Short mmCIF file of all heavy atoms in Angstrom, two decimals:
data_model
loop_
_atom_site.label_atom_id
_atom_site.label_comp_id
_atom_site.label_asym_id
_atom_site.label_seq_id
_atom_site.Cartn_x
_atom_site.Cartn_y
_atom_site.Cartn_z
N MET A 1 14.40 27.00 -20.87
CA MET A 1 13.25 27.21 -19.98
C MET A 1 12.04 26.41 -20.44
O MET A 1 11.29 25.84 -19.69
CB MET A 1 12.89 28.69 -19.95
CG MET A 1 13.84 29.46 -19.03
SD MET A 1 13.44 31.19 -18.99
CE MET A 1 14.97 31.84 -18.35
N ALA A 2 11.90 26.35 -21.72
CA ALA A 2 10.78 25.58 -22.26
C ALA A 2 11.01 24.09 -22.03
O ALA A 2 10.07 23.33 -21.87
CB ALA A 2 10.61 25.86 -23.73
N ALA A 3 12.26 23.70 -21.97
CA ALA A 3 12.57 22.28 -21.80
C ALA A 3 12.11 21.78 -20.44
O ALA A 3 11.67 20.66 -20.28
CB ALA A 3 14.07 22.07 -21.95
N ALA A 4 12.19 22.62 -19.41
CA ALA A 4 11.78 22.23 -18.08
C ALA A 4 10.31 21.85 -18.06
O ALA A 4 9.90 20.90 -17.41
CB ALA A 4 12.03 23.37 -17.10
N LYS A 5 9.52 22.58 -18.80
CA LYS A 5 8.09 22.25 -18.85
C LYS A 5 7.87 20.92 -19.53
O LYS A 5 7.04 20.13 -19.14
CB LYS A 5 7.37 23.35 -19.64
CG LYS A 5 6.87 24.44 -18.72
CD LYS A 5 5.98 25.41 -19.50
CE LYS A 5 5.65 26.60 -18.63
NZ LYS A 5 4.82 27.57 -19.37
N GLY A 6 8.67 20.65 -20.54
CA GLY A 6 8.50 19.41 -21.30
C GLY A 6 8.79 18.18 -20.47
O GLY A 6 8.08 17.20 -20.55
N THR A 7 9.79 18.23 -19.59
CA THR A 7 10.16 17.06 -18.81
C THR A 7 9.08 16.69 -17.80
O THR A 7 9.03 15.58 -17.32
CB THR A 7 11.49 17.30 -18.06
OG1 THR A 7 11.51 18.63 -17.58
CG2 THR A 7 12.66 17.05 -18.97
N ALA A 8 8.22 17.62 -17.44
CA ALA A 8 7.20 17.34 -16.44
C ALA A 8 6.11 16.42 -17.00
O ALA A 8 5.41 15.78 -16.26
CB ALA A 8 6.58 18.64 -15.96
N GLY A 9 5.99 16.36 -18.30
CA GLY A 9 4.88 15.60 -18.88
C GLY A 9 5.25 14.19 -19.25
O GLY A 9 5.34 13.84 -20.41
N ARG A 10 5.48 13.38 -18.24
CA ARG A 10 5.82 11.97 -18.51
C ARG A 10 4.91 11.06 -17.72
O ARG A 10 4.71 11.25 -16.52
CB ARG A 10 7.26 11.70 -18.11
CG ARG A 10 8.26 12.31 -19.06
CD ARG A 10 8.71 11.28 -20.07
NE ARG A 10 9.28 11.93 -21.25
CZ ARG A 10 9.81 11.26 -22.25
NH1 ARG A 10 9.83 9.95 -22.22
NH2 ARG A 10 10.31 11.87 -23.29
N CYS A 11 4.40 10.06 -18.38
CA CYS A 11 3.52 9.11 -17.71
C CYS A 11 4.33 8.25 -16.74
O CYS A 11 5.30 7.62 -17.14
CB CYS A 11 2.84 8.23 -18.75
SG CYS A 11 1.90 6.90 -18.02
N PRO A 12 4.00 8.22 -15.47
CA PRO A 12 4.74 7.44 -14.47
C PRO A 12 4.59 5.94 -14.67
O PRO A 12 5.33 5.16 -14.10
CB PRO A 12 4.14 7.89 -13.14
CG PRO A 12 2.80 8.42 -13.45
CD PRO A 12 2.87 8.94 -14.86
N VAL A 13 3.61 5.53 -15.44
CA VAL A 13 3.38 4.10 -15.63
C VAL A 13 4.21 3.57 -16.78
O VAL A 13 4.94 2.60 -16.64
CB VAL A 13 1.89 3.83 -15.90
CG1 VAL A 13 1.66 2.37 -16.20
CG2 VAL A 13 1.07 4.27 -14.70
N CYS A 14 4.13 4.20 -17.95
CA CYS A 14 4.82 3.67 -19.12
C CYS A 14 5.88 4.63 -19.64
O CYS A 14 6.66 4.27 -20.50
CB CYS A 14 3.82 3.34 -20.21
SG CYS A 14 3.09 4.80 -20.96
N GLY A 15 5.94 5.86 -19.12
CA GLY A 15 6.99 6.78 -19.52
C GLY A 15 6.70 7.55 -20.80
O GLY A 15 7.53 8.30 -21.26
N ALA A 16 5.53 7.38 -21.36
CA ALA A 16 5.18 8.10 -22.58
C ALA A 16 4.78 9.53 -22.25
O ALA A 16 4.55 9.87 -21.09
CB ALA A 16 4.04 7.38 -23.28
N ALA A 17 4.69 10.36 -23.25
CA ALA A 17 4.26 11.74 -23.04
C ALA A 17 2.83 11.76 -22.53
O ALA A 17 2.00 10.98 -22.98
CB ALA A 17 4.37 12.52 -24.34
N THR A 18 2.56 12.65 -21.60
CA THR A 18 1.22 12.66 -20.99
C THR A 18 0.20 13.38 -21.87
O THR A 18 0.54 14.29 -22.60
CB THR A 18 1.27 13.38 -19.64
OG1 THR A 18 1.89 14.65 -19.79
CG2 THR A 18 2.04 12.57 -18.62
N GLU A 19 -0.99 12.97 -21.74
CA GLU A 19 -2.10 13.62 -22.42
C GLU A 19 -2.75 14.58 -21.43
O GLU A 19 -2.93 14.23 -20.25
CB GLU A 19 -3.10 12.56 -22.86
CG GLU A 19 -4.07 13.04 -23.90
CD GLU A 19 -3.40 13.22 -25.25
OE1 GLU A 19 -2.52 12.41 -25.61
OE2 GLU A 19 -3.76 14.18 -25.93
N LYS A 20 -3.07 15.77 -21.89
CA LYS A 20 -3.66 16.76 -20.98
C LYS A 20 -4.85 16.17 -20.24
O LYS A 20 -5.06 16.38 -19.06
CB LYS A 20 -4.15 17.96 -21.80
CG LYS A 20 -3.05 18.96 -22.08
CD LYS A 20 -3.62 20.11 -22.86
CE LYS A 20 -2.51 20.82 -23.64
NZ LYS A 20 -3.09 21.68 -24.69
N ARG A 21 -5.62 15.43 -20.95
CA ARG A 21 -6.86 14.91 -20.38
C ARG A 21 -6.61 13.91 -19.26
O ARG A 21 -7.42 13.76 -18.35
CB ARG A 21 -7.61 14.22 -21.51
CG ARG A 21 -9.07 14.11 -21.22
CD ARG A 21 -9.79 13.45 -22.39
NE ARG A 21 -10.99 12.82 -21.89
CZ ARG A 21 -11.75 12.03 -22.62
NH1 ARG A 21 -11.43 11.82 -23.87
NH2 ARG A 21 -12.80 11.50 -22.12
N TRP A 22 -5.51 13.20 -19.37
CA TRP A 22 -5.28 12.11 -18.39
C TRP A 22 -4.10 12.39 -17.49
O TRP A 22 -3.54 11.48 -16.88
CB TRP A 22 -5.05 10.80 -19.14
CG TRP A 22 -6.21 10.43 -19.97
CD1 TRP A 22 -6.28 10.43 -21.33
CD2 TRP A 22 -7.50 10.03 -19.51
NE1 TRP A 22 -7.52 10.06 -21.74
CE2 TRP A 22 -8.29 9.80 -20.64
CE3 TRP A 22 -8.05 9.85 -18.24
CZ2 TRP A 22 -9.62 9.39 -20.53
CZ3 TRP A 22 -9.37 9.44 -18.14
CH2 TRP A 22 -10.13 9.22 -19.28
N ARG A 23 -3.67 13.64 -17.43
CA ARG A 23 -2.55 13.95 -16.55
C ARG A 23 -2.75 13.37 -15.15
O ARG A 23 -3.87 13.41 -14.64
CB ARG A 23 -2.39 15.47 -16.46
CG ARG A 23 -1.43 15.97 -17.51
CD ARG A 23 -1.08 17.41 -17.26
NE ARG A 23 -2.27 18.23 -17.07
CZ ARG A 23 -2.21 19.53 -16.79
NH1 ARG A 23 -1.06 20.13 -16.69
NH2 ARG A 23 -3.30 20.21 -16.62
N PRO A 24 -1.69 12.88 -14.50
CA PRO A 24 -0.31 12.86 -15.04
C PRO A 24 -0.02 11.65 -15.90
O PRO A 24 1.13 11.29 -16.06
CB PRO A 24 0.53 12.85 -13.77
CG PRO A 24 -0.28 12.05 -12.80
CD PRO A 24 -1.73 12.32 -13.15
N PHE A 25 -1.02 11.03 -16.44
CA PHE A 25 -0.79 9.82 -17.22
C PHE A 25 -0.96 10.10 -18.71
O PHE A 25 -1.37 11.19 -19.09
CB PHE A 25 -1.76 8.72 -16.80
CG PHE A 25 -1.72 8.49 -15.31
CD1 PHE A 25 -2.71 9.00 -14.49
CD2 PHE A 25 -0.68 7.79 -14.75
CE1 PHE A 25 -2.67 8.81 -13.13
CE2 PHE A 25 -0.63 7.59 -13.37
CZ PHE A 25 -1.62 8.09 -12.57
N CYS A 26 -0.67 9.11 -19.53
CA CYS A 26 -0.74 9.32 -20.97
C CYS A 26 -2.08 8.87 -21.49
O CYS A 26 -2.49 9.22 -22.58
CB CYS A 26 0.39 8.54 -21.66
SG CYS A 26 0.16 6.76 -21.60
N SER A 27 -2.79 8.05 -20.73
CA SER A 27 -4.06 7.53 -21.22
C SER A 27 -4.88 7.01 -20.05
O SER A 27 -4.38 6.87 -18.94
CB SER A 27 -3.82 6.38 -22.20
OG SER A 27 -3.20 5.31 -21.51
N ARG A 28 -6.10 6.71 -20.30
CA ARG A 28 -6.95 6.19 -19.24
C ARG A 28 -6.45 4.84 -18.74
O ARG A 28 -6.58 4.48 -17.59
CB ARG A 28 -8.36 6.02 -19.80
CG ARG A 28 -9.33 5.82 -18.66
CD ARG A 28 -10.66 5.37 -19.18
NE ARG A 28 -11.31 4.57 -18.17
CZ ARG A 28 -12.48 3.99 -18.32
NH1 ARG A 28 -13.11 4.13 -19.45
NH2 ARG A 28 -13.00 3.29 -17.38
N ARG A 29 -5.89 4.10 -19.66
CA ARG A 29 -5.38 2.78 -19.29
C ARG A 29 -4.29 2.89 -18.22
O ARG A 29 -4.29 2.19 -17.23
CB ARG A 29 -4.78 2.12 -20.54
CG ARG A 29 -5.11 0.65 -20.56
CD ARG A 29 -4.55 0.07 -21.83
NE ARG A 29 -3.99 -1.23 -21.55
CZ ARG A 29 -3.17 -1.85 -22.38
NH1 ARG A 29 -2.83 -1.28 -23.50
NH2 ARG A 29 -2.73 -3.02 -22.09
N CYS A 30 -3.37 3.80 -18.44
CA CYS A 30 -2.29 3.97 -17.46
C CYS A 30 -2.83 4.53 -16.15
O CYS A 30 -2.37 4.17 -15.07
CB CYS A 30 -1.20 4.87 -18.04
SG CYS A 30 -0.13 3.99 -19.18
N ALA A 31 -3.81 5.40 -16.22
CA ALA A 31 -4.42 5.92 -14.99
C ALA A 31 -5.05 4.77 -14.21
O ALA A 31 -4.93 4.69 -12.98
CB ALA A 31 -5.49 6.95 -15.35
N ASP A 32 -5.70 3.86 -14.90
CA ASP A 32 -6.31 2.71 -14.23
C ASP A 32 -5.24 1.82 -13.61
O ASP A 32 -5.40 1.32 -12.50
CB ASP A 32 -7.12 1.90 -15.25
CG ASP A 32 -8.50 2.49 -15.43
OD1 ASP A 32 -8.86 3.39 -14.65
OD2 ASP A 32 -9.21 2.07 -16.35
N VAL A 33 -4.18 1.61 -14.33
CA VAL A 33 -3.11 0.76 -13.81
C VAL A 33 -2.56 1.33 -12.52
O VAL A 33 -2.39 0.63 -11.52
CB VAL A 33 -1.97 0.64 -14.85
CG1 VAL A 33 -0.74 -0.01 -14.22
CG2 VAL A 33 -2.44 -0.17 -16.05
N ASP A 34 -2.31 2.64 -12.52
CA ASP A 34 -1.75 3.26 -11.32
C ASP A 34 -2.75 3.19 -10.17
O ASP A 34 -2.40 2.89 -9.04
CB ASP A 34 -1.40 4.71 -11.63
CG ASP A 34 -0.54 5.31 -10.52
OD1 ASP A 34 0.60 4.87 -10.38
OD2 ASP A 34 -1.04 6.17 -9.79
N LEU A 35 -4.00 3.43 -10.47
CA LEU A 35 -5.03 3.37 -9.43
C LEU A 35 -5.10 1.96 -8.84
O LEU A 35 -5.20 1.79 -7.64
CB LEU A 35 -6.38 3.75 -10.04
CG LEU A 35 -7.52 3.81 -9.02
CD1 LEU A 35 -7.32 4.96 -8.07
CD2 LEU A 35 -8.86 3.95 -9.73
N GLY A 36 -5.01 0.97 -9.70
CA GLY A 36 -5.04 -0.41 -9.23
C GLY A 36 -3.89 -0.70 -8.29
O GLY A 36 -4.06 -1.37 -7.29
N ARG A 37 -2.74 -0.17 -8.62
CA ARG A 37 -1.58 -0.40 -7.74
C ARG A 37 -1.82 0.22 -6.38
O ARG A 37 -1.52 -0.38 -5.35
CB ARG A 37 -0.34 0.24 -8.37
CG ARG A 37 0.21 -0.59 -9.49
CD ARG A 37 1.48 0.05 -10.00
NE ARG A 37 1.87 -0.53 -11.27
CZ ARG A 37 2.77 0.01 -12.07
NH1 ARG A 37 3.32 1.15 -11.76
NH2 ARG A 37 3.11 -0.57 -13.18
N TRP A 38 -2.37 1.41 -6.37
CA TRP A 38 -2.63 2.08 -5.10
C TRP A 38 -3.61 1.28 -4.26
O TRP A 38 -3.41 1.08 -3.06
CB TRP A 38 -3.20 3.48 -5.36
CG TRP A 38 -2.12 4.50 -5.47
CD1 TRP A 38 -1.56 4.98 -6.62
CD2 TRP A 38 -1.46 5.17 -4.39
NE1 TRP A 38 -0.60 5.90 -6.31
CE2 TRP A 38 -0.52 6.05 -4.97
CE3 TRP A 38 -1.58 5.11 -3.00
CZ2 TRP A 38 0.29 6.86 -4.18
CZ3 TRP A 38 -0.76 5.92 -2.24
CH2 TRP A 38 0.16 6.78 -2.82
N LEU A 39 -4.68 0.84 -4.90
CA LEU A 39 -5.69 0.10 -4.15
C LEU A 39 -5.12 -1.19 -3.59
O LEU A 39 -5.31 -1.52 -2.44
CB LEU A 39 -6.87 -0.22 -5.08
CG LEU A 39 -7.72 1.01 -5.43
CD1 LEU A 39 -8.84 0.60 -6.37
CD2 LEU A 39 -8.29 1.65 -4.18
N LYS A 40 -4.38 -1.90 -4.41
CA LYS A 40 -3.78 -3.14 -3.93
C LYS A 40 -2.86 -2.88 -2.76
O LYS A 40 -2.83 -3.62 -1.80
CB LYS A 40 -2.98 -3.78 -5.08
CG LYS A 40 -3.79 -4.74 -5.88
CD LYS A 40 -2.89 -5.51 -6.82
CE LYS A 40 -3.73 -6.24 -7.86
NZ LYS A 40 -2.87 -6.90 -8.85
N GLY A 41 -2.08 -1.81 -2.87
CA GLY A 41 -1.12 -1.49 -1.80
C GLY A 41 -1.81 -1.19 -0.49
O GLY A 41 -1.35 -1.59 0.57
N SER A 42 -2.96 -0.51 -0.54
CA SER A 42 -3.61 -0.14 0.71
C SER A 42 -4.44 -1.29 1.26
O SER A 42 -4.71 -1.34 2.45
CB SER A 42 -4.47 1.10 0.50
OG SER A 42 -5.39 0.89 -0.54
N TYR A 43 -4.86 -2.19 0.40
CA TYR A 43 -5.65 -3.32 0.91
C TYR A 43 -4.77 -4.39 1.52
O TYR A 43 -5.08 -4.95 2.55
CB TYR A 43 -6.44 -3.95 -0.25
CG TYR A 43 -7.74 -3.26 -0.48
CD1 TYR A 43 -8.07 -2.75 -1.72
CD2 TYR A 43 -8.66 -3.13 0.55
CE1 TYR A 43 -9.27 -2.10 -1.94
CE2 TYR A 43 -9.86 -2.49 0.35
CZ TYR A 43 -10.16 -1.98 -0.90
OH TYR A 43 -11.34 -1.36 -1.10
N ALA A 44 -3.64 -4.66 0.86
CA ALA A 44 -2.78 -5.74 1.33
C ALA A 44 -1.71 -5.20 2.25
O ALA A 44 -0.69 -4.70 1.82
CB ALA A 44 -2.14 -6.42 0.12
N ILE A 45 -1.93 -5.27 3.54
CA ILE A 45 -0.90 -4.89 4.50
C ILE A 45 -0.13 -6.15 4.87
O ILE A 45 -0.65 -7.04 5.54
CB ILE A 45 -1.53 -4.27 5.75
CG1 ILE A 45 -2.32 -3.02 5.35
CG2 ILE A 45 -0.44 -3.91 6.75
CD1 ILE A 45 -3.37 -2.64 6.40
N PRO A 46 1.10 -6.25 4.41
CA PRO A 46 1.83 -7.52 4.48
C PRO A 46 2.24 -7.92 5.88
O PRO A 46 3.24 -7.46 6.41
CB PRO A 46 3.06 -7.26 3.58
CG PRO A 46 3.24 -5.77 3.58
CD PRO A 46 1.87 -5.17 3.81
N GLY A 47 1.47 -8.79 6.50
CA GLY A 47 1.92 -9.44 7.73
C GLY A 47 1.83 -8.60 8.99
O GLY A 47 2.18 -9.07 10.05
N GLU A 48 1.38 -7.38 8.89
CA GLU A 48 1.40 -6.55 10.09
C GLU A 48 0.43 -7.05 11.17
O GLU A 48 0.84 -7.20 12.31
CB GLU A 48 1.08 -5.11 9.72
CG GLU A 48 2.30 -4.23 9.96
CD GLU A 48 1.96 -2.79 9.80
OE1 GLU A 48 1.18 -2.28 10.61
OE2 GLU A 48 2.44 -2.16 8.86
N PRO A 49 -0.82 -7.34 10.86
CA PRO A 49 -1.74 -7.82 11.90
C PRO A 49 -1.29 -9.14 12.50
O PRO A 49 -1.44 -9.37 13.68
CB PRO A 49 -3.07 -7.98 11.15
CG PRO A 49 -2.75 -7.89 9.71
CD PRO A 49 -1.45 -7.13 9.58
N LEU A 50 -0.69 -10.00 11.70
CA LEU A 50 -0.21 -11.27 12.22
C LEU A 50 0.91 -11.05 13.24
O LEU A 50 0.98 -11.70 14.26
CB LEU A 50 0.31 -12.13 11.07
CG LEU A 50 -0.79 -12.78 10.24
CD1 LEU A 50 -0.17 -13.56 9.08
CD2 LEU A 50 -1.63 -13.72 11.09
N GLU A 51 1.77 -10.11 12.95
CA GLU A 51 2.89 -9.86 13.86
C GLU A 51 2.41 -9.41 15.23
O GLU A 51 2.86 -9.88 16.25
CB GLU A 51 3.79 -8.79 13.25
CG GLU A 51 5.12 -9.38 12.78
CD GLU A 51 6.01 -8.31 12.23
OE1 GLU A 51 6.54 -7.54 13.02
OE2 GLU A 51 6.17 -8.24 11.00
N THR A 52 1.44 -8.48 15.25
CA THR A 52 0.95 -7.99 16.53
C THR A 52 0.25 -9.12 17.29
O THR A 52 0.38 -9.24 18.50
CB THR A 52 -0.03 -6.83 16.32
OG1 THR A 52 -0.58 -6.94 15.04
CG2 THR A 52 0.67 -5.50 16.49
N GLU A 53 -0.47 -9.98 16.57
CA GLU A 53 -1.15 -11.08 17.24
C GLU A 53 -0.14 -12.01 17.89
O GLU A 53 -0.29 -12.42 19.02
CB GLU A 53 -1.95 -11.86 16.20
CG GLU A 53 -3.43 -11.90 16.56
CD GLU A 53 -4.20 -12.70 15.56
OE1 GLU A 53 -4.11 -13.93 15.61
OE2 GLU A 53 -4.88 -12.10 14.71
N GLY A 54 0.91 -12.34 17.16
CA GLY A 54 1.94 -13.23 17.70
C GLY A 54 2.58 -12.64 18.94
O GLY A 54 2.78 -13.34 19.92
N ALA A 55 2.85 -11.36 18.93
CA ALA A 55 3.49 -10.72 20.07
C ALA A 55 2.58 -10.77 21.29
O ALA A 55 3.01 -11.03 22.40
CB ALA A 55 3.84 -9.28 19.72
N GLU A 56 1.29 -10.54 21.06
CA GLU A 56 0.35 -10.56 22.19
C GLU A 56 0.27 -11.96 22.78
O GLU A 56 0.29 -12.15 23.98
CB GLU A 56 -1.03 -10.13 21.69
CG GLU A 56 -1.30 -8.66 22.02
CD GLU A 56 -2.63 -8.24 21.49
OE1 GLU A 56 -3.64 -8.83 21.89
OE2 GLU A 56 -2.68 -7.32 20.66
N ARG A 57 0.18 -12.94 21.92
CA ARG A 57 0.10 -14.32 22.41
C ARG A 57 1.34 -14.68 23.22
O ARG A 57 1.28 -15.36 24.22
CB ARG A 57 0.00 -15.26 21.20
CG ARG A 57 -1.44 -15.51 20.83
CD ARG A 57 -1.51 -16.58 19.77
NE ARG A 57 -2.70 -16.41 18.96
CZ ARG A 57 -2.92 -17.07 17.84
NH1 ARG A 57 -2.01 -17.88 17.38
NH2 ARG A 57 -4.01 -16.91 17.18
N ASP A 58 2.47 -14.19 22.76
CA ASP A 58 3.72 -14.51 23.44
C ASP A 58 3.71 -14.02 24.88
O ASP A 58 4.05 -14.73 25.81
CB ASP A 58 4.88 -13.85 22.68
CG ASP A 58 5.98 -14.87 22.39
OD1 ASP A 58 5.65 -16.06 22.30
OD2 ASP A 58 7.13 -14.46 22.29
N SER A 59 3.26 -12.78 25.08
CA SER A 59 3.30 -12.22 26.43
C SER A 59 2.27 -12.91 27.32
O SER A 59 2.49 -13.09 28.51
CB SER A 59 3.03 -10.72 26.37
OG SER A 59 1.77 -10.47 25.81
N ILE A 60 1.16 -13.34 26.73
CA ILE A 60 0.14 -14.04 27.53
C ILE A 60 0.65 -15.42 27.94
O ILE A 60 0.47 -15.86 29.06
CB ILE A 60 -1.15 -14.19 26.71
CG1 ILE A 60 -1.83 -12.83 26.59
CG2 ILE A 60 -2.09 -15.19 27.38
CD1 ILE A 60 -2.94 -12.81 25.55
N ALA A 61 1.34 -16.08 27.02
CA ALA A 61 1.79 -17.45 27.28
C ALA A 61 2.86 -17.48 28.36
O ALA A 61 3.04 -18.47 29.03
CB ALA A 61 2.33 -18.05 25.99
N SER A 62 3.59 -16.39 28.54
CA SER A 62 4.70 -16.42 29.50
C SER A 62 4.26 -16.09 30.92
O SER A 62 5.05 -16.17 31.85
CB SER A 62 5.78 -15.44 29.04
OG SER A 62 5.26 -14.14 29.01
N SER A 63 2.97 -15.74 31.13
CA SER A 63 2.57 -15.31 32.47
C SER A 63 1.61 -16.25 33.23
O SER A 63 1.54 -16.15 34.44
CB SER A 63 1.95 -13.91 32.39
OG SER A 63 0.86 -13.92 31.50
N PRO A 64 0.91 -17.20 32.62
CA PRO A 64 -0.20 -17.89 33.30
C PRO A 64 0.15 -18.71 34.55
O PRO A 64 -0.58 -18.64 35.52
CB PRO A 64 -0.79 -18.80 32.22
CG PRO A 64 0.19 -18.81 31.12
CD PRO A 64 0.96 -17.54 31.21
N PRO A 65 1.20 -19.47 34.66
CA PRO A 65 1.30 -20.44 35.76
C PRO A 65 1.70 -19.81 37.08
O PRO A 65 2.65 -20.25 37.73
CB PRO A 65 2.38 -21.42 35.26
CG PRO A 65 3.26 -20.60 34.36
CD PRO A 65 2.43 -19.45 33.84
N GLU A 66 0.97 -18.80 37.51
CA GLU A 66 1.34 -18.16 38.77
C GLU A 66 0.47 -18.69 39.92
O GLU A 66 0.95 -19.09 40.96
CB GLU A 66 1.16 -16.65 38.63
CG GLU A 66 2.46 -15.93 38.99
CD GLU A 66 2.29 -14.44 38.96
OE1 GLU A 66 1.60 -13.93 39.85
OE2 GLU A 66 2.82 -13.79 38.05
N GLY A 67 -0.86 -18.70 39.70
CA GLY A 67 -1.78 -19.09 40.76
C GLY A 67 -1.62 -20.54 41.17
O GLY A 67 -1.85 -20.91 42.31
N GLU A 68 -1.19 -21.39 40.26
CA GLU A 68 -1.14 -22.82 40.57
C GLU A 68 -0.12 -23.12 41.68
O GLU A 68 -0.38 -23.85 42.61
CB GLU A 68 -0.77 -23.58 39.30
CG GLU A 68 -2.03 -24.11 38.62
CD GLU A 68 -1.65 -24.90 37.39
OE1 GLU A 68 -0.92 -25.87 37.53
OE2 GLU A 68 -2.11 -24.54 36.30
N GLU A 69 1.02 -22.54 41.59
CA GLU A 69 2.05 -22.83 42.59
C GLU A 69 1.72 -22.20 43.94
O GLU A 69 2.16 -22.66 44.98
CB GLU A 69 3.39 -22.30 42.08
CG GLU A 69 4.19 -23.42 41.43
CD GLU A 69 5.62 -23.01 41.22
OE1 GLU A 69 6.27 -22.60 42.17
OE2 GLU A 69 6.09 -23.12 40.09
N ASP A 70 0.92 -21.12 43.88
CA ASP A 70 0.59 -20.41 45.11
C ASP A 70 -0.30 -21.25 46.01
O ASP A 70 -0.25 -21.15 47.23
CB ASP A 70 -0.14 -19.11 44.73
CG ASP A 70 0.35 -17.98 45.63
OD1 ASP A 70 1.54 -17.99 45.96
OD2 ASP A 70 -0.44 -17.12 45.99
N ARG A 71 -1.08 -22.14 45.45
CA ARG A 71 -2.04 -22.90 46.25
C ARG A 71 -1.33 -23.92 47.11
O ARG A 71 -1.10 -25.01 46.91
CB ARG A 71 -3.01 -23.59 45.31
CG ARG A 71 -4.26 -22.72 45.19
CD ARG A 71 -5.33 -23.47 44.39
NE ARG A 71 -6.48 -22.57 44.23
CZ ARG A 71 -7.55 -22.95 43.55
NH1 ARG A 71 -7.61 -24.11 42.99
NH2 ARG A 71 -8.53 -22.14 43.45
ZN1 LIG B 1 1.25 5.65 -19.90
#
């Protein structure tokens, strides 16, 4: 039963035993590293805005030459 508590205290960054003060990390350094990863992940959205732009352009490009033939 005591072992279950022990396994919970592992730093997700480096795997070392966690320090109470920096839970769930082992040190401030690892806390900073993890925070940096989160920030980078939320700032860099890989290619999503470009994809929507391309799709919109595609639908616009396929519709314009209607009025010309009508005249
Ligand atoms: Zn660590």
Side-chain angles (χ1 to χ4, degrees):
M1 281 180 198
K5 269 189 188 178
T7 39
R10 287 264 160 177
C11 173
V13 176
C14 71
T18 51
E19 197 72 38
K20 276 181 203 164
R21 202 178 154 188
W22 300 111
R23 269 190 309 177
F25 308 102
C26 70
S27 64
R28 194 192 152 182
R29 219 178 140 195
C30 281
D32 277 351
V33 169
D34 192 68
L35 184 68
R37 283 184 193 166
W38 270 97
L39 288 179
K40 268 190 194 175
S42 55
Y43 274 124
I45 300 159
E48 247 188 67
L50 283 177
E51 251 182 73
T52 24
E53 239 181 76
E56 260 178 59
R57 269 188 207 169
D58 230 27
S59 60
I60 288 167
S62 61
S63 57
E66 235 184 70
E68 263 181 59
E69 263 193 54
D70 221 36
R71 264 187 183 178

